[in-house]
């Protein structure tokens, strides 16, 4: 008998969660019905200490639906809570509370896991917009995500649509690092540790979940700040993977040098776009430059806490565990406020790696 748990993490988004759960429960029931020897359960992990999603979950009154609260702030704590709650399961599948599973979602993940025996199987996430993206945003391809043949071995994975073989995860001893709970990058670090320890991660192109993008996230300021944040988090992940003070120093130097190159290259591309009137070069140039700036900041010891919560001292500088407004992840640097995004006009501005999220810089 194979027991599969779908883990849905949430924080103060009861309406999107309710819509997602209806679809997730349908998929879980269909999977159990169509696969003899498979049982399913849907687990909601609420990262709001007040349990704001409890009433909505209870209102569904669905069999096989379970609700727990993880009071420690941060996405890492919530993901680890799901690992703990699914400790006796064979499979754990993560999906976000603002995503909609499409017709082909859960079954392809299970099929790919059976065929490959991988420790992790990552499916596709595609974007759906609340409003039409501006020409500048569309030209920058901020929400583009890669595709590849099913079964392709990948070096890193995101958790928006991810199956984990729990027996292998338990043997690996890998968990989500709480130091990245408010910065992001915890899924990259988790999956890269798995790969480093010899476990296989593969891609499943048939599994699809749709990510709903609100209008507020279609603004260039938000997108460029997110590019900065991803550059910053990428450096933090490299620092955490480094095994000695000397290697960490090398990571910092590389981040500053490579980030500076990205800033220069991105600025040049943006300038070329202004001269030629190319929105693509304008947008992608700024995207590259901001990503590089985040890398440089990380190399210099500055940490941006993208998921800091209201009530933390300072904007974007809150910490899990109340360690102080200016504390970054232990030993990695100092938390900084939101990176400033210049207000630009419409006319200026080995294994595969699929885990760069939709707003991460790429060439």
């Amino acid at each position: 008998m194979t027991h599969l748990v779908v883990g849905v993490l949430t924080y103060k988004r009861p309406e999107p969660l309710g819509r997602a759960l209806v679809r997730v429960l349908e998929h879980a029931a269909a999977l159990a019905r169509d696969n003899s020897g498979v049982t399913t359960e849907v687990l909601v992990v609420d990262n709001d200490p007040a349990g704001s999603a409890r009433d909505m979950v209870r209102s569904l009154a669905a069999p096989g639906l379970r609700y727990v609260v993880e009071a420690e702030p941060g996405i890492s704590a919530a993901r680890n809570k799901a690992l703990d709650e699914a400790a006796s399961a064979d499979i754990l599948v993560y999906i976000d509370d603002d995503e909609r599973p499409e017709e082909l979602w859960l079954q392809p993940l299970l099929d790919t896991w059976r065929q490959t025996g991988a420790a992790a199987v990552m499916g596709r996430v595609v974007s759906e917009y609340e409003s039409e993206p501006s020409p500048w945003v569309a030209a920058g391809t901020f929400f583009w995500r890669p595709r590849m043949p099913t079964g392709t071995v990948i070096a890193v994975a995101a958790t928006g649509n991810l199956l984990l073989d729990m027996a292998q995860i338990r043997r690996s001893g890998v968990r989500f690092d709480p130091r990245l709970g408010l910065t992001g990058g915890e899924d990259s670090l988790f999956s890269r540790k798995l790969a480093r320890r010899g476990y296989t991660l593969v891609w499943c192109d048939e599994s699809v979940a749709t990510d709903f993008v609100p209008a507020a996230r279609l603004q260039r300021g938000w997108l460029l700040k997110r590019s900065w944040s991803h550059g910053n988090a990428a450096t933090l992940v490299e620092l955490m993977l480094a095994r000695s003070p000397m290697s960490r120093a090398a990571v910092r130097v590389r981040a500053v040098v490579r980030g500076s190159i990205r800033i220069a290259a991105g600025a040049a591309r943006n300038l070329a776009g202004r001269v030629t009137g190319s929105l693509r070069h304008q947008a992608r140039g700024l995207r590259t430059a901001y990503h590089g700036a985040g890398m440089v900041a990380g190399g210099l010891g500055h940490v941006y806490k993208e998921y800091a919560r209201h009530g933390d001292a300072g904007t974007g500088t809150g910490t899990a565990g109340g360690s102080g407004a200016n504390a970054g992840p232990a030993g990695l640097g100092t938390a900084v406020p939101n990176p400033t995004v210049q207000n630009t006009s419409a006319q200026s501005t080995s294994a595969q790696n699929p885990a760069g999220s939709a707003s991460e810089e790429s060439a």
Side-chain angles (χ1 to χ4, degrees), residues 194-208:
L194 270 181
R196 176 177 281 190
R197 297 183 188 187
Y199 292 88
T200 301
L201 294 71
V202 302
W203 180 260
C204 177
D205 203 60
E206 291 79 20
S207 174
V208 183

Side-chain angles (χ1 to χ4, degrees), residues 19-40:
R19 291 192 296 267
L21 282 178
V22 170
R23 299 293 292 271
V24 168
L25 287 164
E26 290 173 353
H27 277 269
L31 188 77
R33 182 184 64 244
D34 298 340
N35 294 264
S36 60
V38 175
T39 60
T40 59

Side-chain angles (χ1 to χ4, degrees), residues 308-350:
R309 299 181 178 181
H310 296 298
D312 291 326
T315 303
T317 59
T319 61
S323 56
N326 293 322
L332 297 181
T334 302
V336 298
N338 289 330
T340 300
V341 177
Q342 295 296 327
N343 193 13
T344 56
S345 70
Q347 293 300 317
S348 65
T349 44
S350 98

Side-chain angles (χ1 to χ4, degrees), residues 39-302:
T39 60
T40 59
E41 177 185 14
V42 176
L43 170 72
V44 176
V45 179
D46 191 348
N47 203 209
D48 179 6
S52 55
R54 181 180 288 107
D55 290 343
M56 189 284 301
V57 175
R58 286 179 176 173
S59 71
L60 295 175
L65 176 61
R66 190 157 60 95
Y67 173 85
V68 297
V69 171
E70 173 50 64
E72 180 181 343
I75 191 67
S76 294
R79 295 203 189 286
N80 285 332
K81 181 71 169 182
L83 288 178
D84 294 338
E85 293 291 327
S88 60
D90 299 290
I91 298 170
L92 171 63
V93 177
Y94 284 114
I95 188 168
D96 291 344
D97 63 354
D98 58 350
E99 291 179 352
R100 180 182 69 239
E102 297 302 336
E103 182 178 356
L104 292 176
W105 169 57
L106 198 52
Q107 185 69 56
L109 288 175
L110 182 65
D111 292 343
T112 302
W113 170 70
R114 285 170 167 168
Q115 292 161 8
T116 64
V121 180
M122 179 180 170
R124 286 198 291 140
V125 176
V126 298
S127 294
E128 178 180 283
Y129 311 112
E130 182 179 18
S131 59
E132 187 69 22
S134 70
W136 188 91
V137 171
T141 61
F142 286 92
F143 295 94
W144 175 85
R145 294 177 174 94
R147 294 182 64 177
M148 59 199 74
T150 294
T152 301
V153 175
I154 57 178
V156 59
T159 45
N161 183 9
L162 183 69
L163 176 150
L164 297 177
D165 180 322
M166 289 301 292
Q168 296 189 60
I169 299 303
R170 287 189 289 269
R171 286 198 299 272
S172 75
V174 177
R175 291 175 66 81
F176 293 92
D177 197 311
R179 293 175 294 174
L180 295 181
L182 298 177
T183 64
E186 81 295 333
D187 47 2
S188 294
L189 181 61
F190 176 90
S191 56
R192 289 184 63 183
K193 282 184 175 180
L194 270 181
R196 176 177 281 190
R197 297 183 188 187
Y199 292 88
T200 301
L201 294 71
V202 302
W203 180 260
C204 177
D205 203 60
E206 291 79 20
S207 174
V208 183
T210 297
D211 172 46
F212 178 74
V213 182
R217 295 189 177 188
L218 293 171
Q219 304 302 312
R220 70 179 64 191
W222 188 90
L223 291 166
L224 292 176
K225 184 169 67 176
R226 189 66 181 267
S227 293
W228 195 100
S229 172
H230 282 178
N232 191 247
T235 299
L236 296 185
V237 169
E238 293 294 340
L239 286 168
M240 290 183 170
L241 288 169
R243 294 173 173 171
S244 69
M246 184 173 293
S247 60
R248 281 190 290 275
V251 168
R252 292 188 186 279
V253 171
R254 285 197 301 272
V256 171
V257 171
R258 293 175 180 175
S260 298
I261 292 172
R262 285 179 182 247
I263 292 172
R269 184 174 186 180
N270 175 259
L271 179 60
R274 296 189 197 185
V275 171
T276 62
S278 169
L279 285 179
R280 176 179 173 84
H281 288 321
Q282 290 178 45
R284 298 193 70 157
L286 280 181
R287 177 179 169 179
T288 297
Y290 272 85
H291 187 97
M295 292 172 63
V296 171
L300 295 176
H302 300 295

